[in-house]
Every structure is written in structure tokens, then in C-alpha cells.
Amino acid sequence: MTFNRILFLCVANSARSQMAEGLARNIFGGDVDVVSAGSMPSQLDPLAVTAMAERGIDISRHRSKAVSDLDAASFDLVVTLCADEVCPVLPGKVKRLHWPITDPARVDPAGDREKALEAFRVARDQIRERMRVLAALRGLGAGPEGREWHSSIRVADLARSARFYAWLLGIWPKEWTHRYATFIRADLNLNFVLVVSDGEELHHDTLYHLGVGVETRSAVIEAYHRAVAAGMPVVKPPRTTWKGTPLHELWLTDPDGTLVEVYARLTPAELAGMPADQQPVFLT
């Protein structure tokens, strides 16, 4: 999804949507045109100004605006931030997101200003983290066209966990050892592995990773080029491996170091071409 003009809406356009506007300008810079408004605009809350100033963002010149004065067709994305109130509506066909953020102005600063300011800080930081995710997703290109998914989790007691997941998934494990149990649900395109958390290093050789199955060898290569274009970390470029389960595979890593395998199963004709030494064959 991409967008170049975004509108943040709440009721009074005094706190949440104003902070969202300031945060968006700070995070997106000049790449995105940002506006905020409300269904019952009042005036900018001084505590919103203070909370934003603590993060080095000046919104003191912001003014409350009415949503009724705006044209939905001029925006690519509308984000509403109401939690317990009735959110304003901007009629028209536009991409919409809803971030329910508790109104910090509900805390009366006359009784305890520091408590009231803390409510604004909480709202500010909740909006900021959502904004960071939105910014990370803006303009993101297509990833691999997955046909199946597999994952593994660490468990303390393999027998107890195998019993639980056999009940949850409605099947016995397809296979198990002293170290892992593998569940296969073809109707869900699911390959799910339980790995014993016994102090041994967990990595792709011990089945601790995530995996996305794609259709063909060409799809693995295409996933590699898409990953490079999107700036995703590549651990091992596309290759065909023969030992264990023969696969065309690409290894990526997520920001926390979790390995992700993009793979395709070999066709009978490809299997017939297995080299005598079974050494991997790189595809790019």
C-alpha cells in the first residue's frame, strides 16, 4: 500500500489527532501531506503541545479543523483515533484505518497535572509506534507468493505439547523423535514443528525457523529478487539442495535474527537431475 496524503480524525481535534499529525510530519518528512480534523473541533490542548515538545516536535501552531470542511477524494488514507466516542465519518471511497486510543484529555489537569500529562505521553507513544509500523509498510513491494507455511516453536515438555497440539489441530504428529514433533495439515497448508527447548542451539538445522512454500524454482528466484529490491536481509541466495528433503530454497532473516526459508519442492524431472555428489546448486 502506498499513500501520499493522510488524514487523522478524532472528535475535538485537540489532542490525539493533533499529536498524530505532528508525529506523522516528523516520521514521513516531506514525503506525505498530513492533515488532522475533528467532528466537533475545539482548540489545541496545551498538554498535547507539552507532550510532543518532550519528543522534540513543535505542534504549538496547530489549529483545530472541522472534518465537514474536507473532501475525502483528496486523501489516500484516513485514520480514526477514537476509543470510547463515536468517531467522525468522512464520506467517500478512501482507504481507512482505525487506531482506538483512549482520550488523554479525560484526565482533569486541575486535579493532578502530572497525571494528566502522563496520559498524554501514553497516547503519544501509542500513536508513535503505530505510526512507525505504518511508515514501514508504506510503498512495500510484493513478497513471495506463498502456497504453504511452516513454523516451529520451542517447548519445555515435548509429550505434553504434542498432546495439546494434537488436540488443537485434530491430528497426530506425522513424525516425532526425542527432539521434535511435526504436524502436517494439508487442508491448512500447514507444517508445524515442536522443538524441545533443551539448551541446545536452535537454528535451521534443528528445524527452528519459519518457512514459506512457493510453487516453483522460478518463484524462489523471483522471491530472491523481490527481497533484494525491498532491502530484506539474505542469508543464503537461491540454491537447490539435495540432502534431507530436496528443495529449491532461499534463506532470509527477520530483524530479530529468526531464519525464514522460502522454498519450492522439486518436480520429478528435477529430482531425476540430482548430481552424484548431492552438492547444492546455486540458482543465481
Side-chain angles (χ1 to χ4, degrees):
M1 179 182 70
T2 190
F3 49 88
N4 297 312
R5 196 158 195 253
I6 183 171
L7 170 64
F8 295 98
L9 291 179
C10 65
V11 176
N13 189 217
S14 63
R16 290 163 295 183
S17 55
Q18 293 283 7
M19 290 192 292
E21 178 181 347
L23 287 163
R25 293 184 190 280
N26 178 259
I27 291 172
F28 290 110
D31 293 339
V32 177
D33 184 26
V34 182
V35 178
S36 69
S39 54
M40 299 175 63
S42 58
Q43 59 185 2
L44 180 63
D45 195 305
L47 290 183
V49 176
T50 300
M52 293 295 288
E54 292 178 346
R55 291 289 183 262
I57 302 173
D58 181 9
I59 64 169
S60 61
R61 293 180 176 84
H62 286 199
R63 296 292 179 267
S64 296
K65 301 169 287 295
V67 65
S68 57
D69 295 336
L70 302 175
D71 176 16
S74 68
F75 296 98
D76 304 309
L77 178 64
V78 172
V79 180
T80 50
L81 297 108
C82 308
D84 301 320
E85 319 94 315
V86 177
C87 278
V89 176
L90 183 67
K93 185 177 181 181
V94 62
K95 173 69 177 177
R96 303 173 190 274
L97 296 175
H98 179 57
W99 297 349
I101 304 293
T102 300
D103 186 2
R106 295 171 61 178
V107 182
D108 185 359
D112 187 335
R113 185 181 184 279
E114 184 58 30
K115 182 178 179 181
L117 179 57
E118 183 59 27
F120 278 81
R121 291 170 177 146
V122 169
R124 174 201 65 201
D125 293 344
Q126 289 178 350
I127 296 169
R128 179 178 181 274
E129 290 310 303
R130 293 169 192 251
M131 197 77 69
R132 291 182 64 242
V133 174
L134 179 63
L137 296 175
R138 179 176 179 263
L140 183 65
E145 298 177 359
R147 299 302 180 99
E148 65 180 31
W149 172 263
H150 70 251
S151 62
S152 57
I153 62 172
R154 288 176 284 187
V155 298
D157 188 316
L158 184 60
R160 291 181 62 192
S161 294
R163 173 181 170 82
F164 175 84
Y165 284 102
W167 169 81
L168 185 67
L169 297 172
I171 54 171
W172 276 31
K174 181 180 179 181
E175 62 177 356
W176 64 88
T177 69
H178 65 291
R179 187 159 173 75
Y180 66 85
T182 302
F183 293 85
I184 306 291
R185 274 282 300 268
D187 58 316
L188 299 178
N189 294 327
L190 176 68
N191 181 325
F192 178 63
V193 183
L194 307 176
V195 183
V196 175
S197 182
D198 55 7
E200 297 293 330
E201 182 183 2
L202 295 173
H203 50 77
H204 68 276
D205 291 328
T206 56
L207 304 178
Y208 184 59
H209 65 276
L210 306 177
V212 179
V214 296
E215 188 74 12
T216 62
R217 172 182 180 274
S218 296
V220 173
I221 297 172
E222 176 63 22
Y224 166 73
H225 291 299
R226 291 183 179 184
V228 171
M232 302 304 176
V234 175
V235 177
K236 293 181 181 178
R239 61 181 188 165
T240 302
T241 59
W242 309 93
K243 296 179 180 179
T245 302
L247 294 171
H248 305 301
E249 64 177 16
L250 160 69
W251 285 94
L252 310 173
T253 182
D254 78 359
D256 294 300
T258 301
L259 288 165
V260 180
E261 179 188 30
V262 180
Y263 65 93
R265 302 184 188 280
L266 274 63
T267 66
E270 290 170 336
L271 282 169
M274 181 175 65
D277 60 6
Q278 295 188 10
Q279 291 302 303
V281 177
F282 286 91
L283 304 178
T284 58

